[in-house]
Amino acid sequence: MKHYSLDEWMKYVKNEVDDDTREMFEDHLYSCDQCLDLYLLAVEEAEDELPVMADELNFTDMVMSKVQNQSQAVIIPFPTQKKPEKKKTVHKTAIFHYAVAAAMTILLMTTGVFQSLTQYAEGVKSTNFQEKKISVTEGLVDKTFAWMDSLESNNKEEGK
């Protein structure tokens, strides 16, 4: 990282550098504390040559009055008339939708649709338990025991 000398910072403070160099100096100040110290030292040394503001309060008041004048010029008054509110139709209200849902639920309950659905679900559930699939491992174990039992029974028959 290149560091700048005190003389270079003095030129920067006195505005004796071109715009590209000024931008390089400013970017460098973001990342280098050593050069920041040199810059602050250059500002202190050139403090007598820098322009002085006569009265800070006057400056602030002047800026605020200009801002206020500009903001008043930008304000666009809105019409004060209110637009007439349109009435919501009955079928667009939430209460209507709740009433329709409640009516449909009562209708389905009285006709027995929910009861037939639960019976159907229980039937499907019970058939799944009856058709329990045996895993490959259990099948191999069962066949092995059946084969061993058949061998044992054959040995007993030959022994008689």
Side-chain angles (χ1 to χ4, degrees), residues 8 16 28 51 79 85 87 102 108 116 121 126 131 145 151 157:
E8 291 172 311
E16 297 172 353
H28 185 75
E85 292 183 20
K87 285 188 175 182
L108 292 173
S116 64
S126 64
E131 298 175 9
F145 282 126
L151 283 177
E157 287 178 5

Side-chain angles (χ1 to χ4, degrees), residues 11-151:
K11 288 179 183 177
Y12 173 80
V13 168
K14 292 178 182 179
N15 202 17
E16 297 172 353
V17 294
D18 60 18
D19 289 341
D20 293 334
T21 309
R22 175 171 291 284
E23 193 170 315
M24 285 180 8
F25 277 41
E26 289 170 358
D27 289 340
H28 185 75
L29 281 176
Y30 288 125
S31 59
C32 182
D33 291 335
Q34 180 182 353
C35 287
L36 181 62
D37 291 336
L38 286 175
Y39 166 73
L40 292 174
L41 185 63
V43 169
E44 285 177 14
E45 287 182 16
E47 189 173 5
D48 297 333
E49 300 171 23
L50 295 175
V52 178
M53 296 177 65
D55 187 11
E56 289 184 21
L57 288 178
N58 250 350
F59 177 75
T60 306
D61 292 337
M62 183 181 67
V63 170
M64 291 306 293
S65 67
K66 285 185 179 183
V67 168
Q68 190 174 23
N69 290 339
Q70 285 181 355
S71 66
Q72 288 175 354
V74 174
I75 295 175
I76 300 171
F78 289 105
T80 57
Q81 289 181 344
K82 289 185 179 179
K83 292 182 180 179
E85 292 183 20
K86 293 182 180 179
K87 285 188 175 182
K88 285 187 178 180
T89 56
V90 174
H91 68 280
K92 290 185 178 178
T93 60
I95 191 76
F96 176 75
H97 291 278
Y98 287 124
V100 168
M104 298 272 298
T105 304
I106 291 171
L107 177 69
L108 292 173
M109 286 177 64
T110 56
T111 57
V113 171
F114 290 138
Q115 187 174 4
S116 64
L117 282 175
T118 56
Q119 288 173 355
Y120 176 74
E122 287 175 4
V124 170
K125 189 177 181 182
S126 64
T127 57
N128 283 344
F129 285 123
Q130 290 172 357
E131 298 175 9
K132 182 180 177 186
K133 293 184 178 182
I134 300 172
S135 70
V136 175
T137 307
E138 288 178 5
L140 286 174
V141 169
D142 289 342
K143 287 183 181 182
T144 304
F145 282 126
W147 177 69
M148 288 175 63
D149 289 341
S150 68
L151 283 177

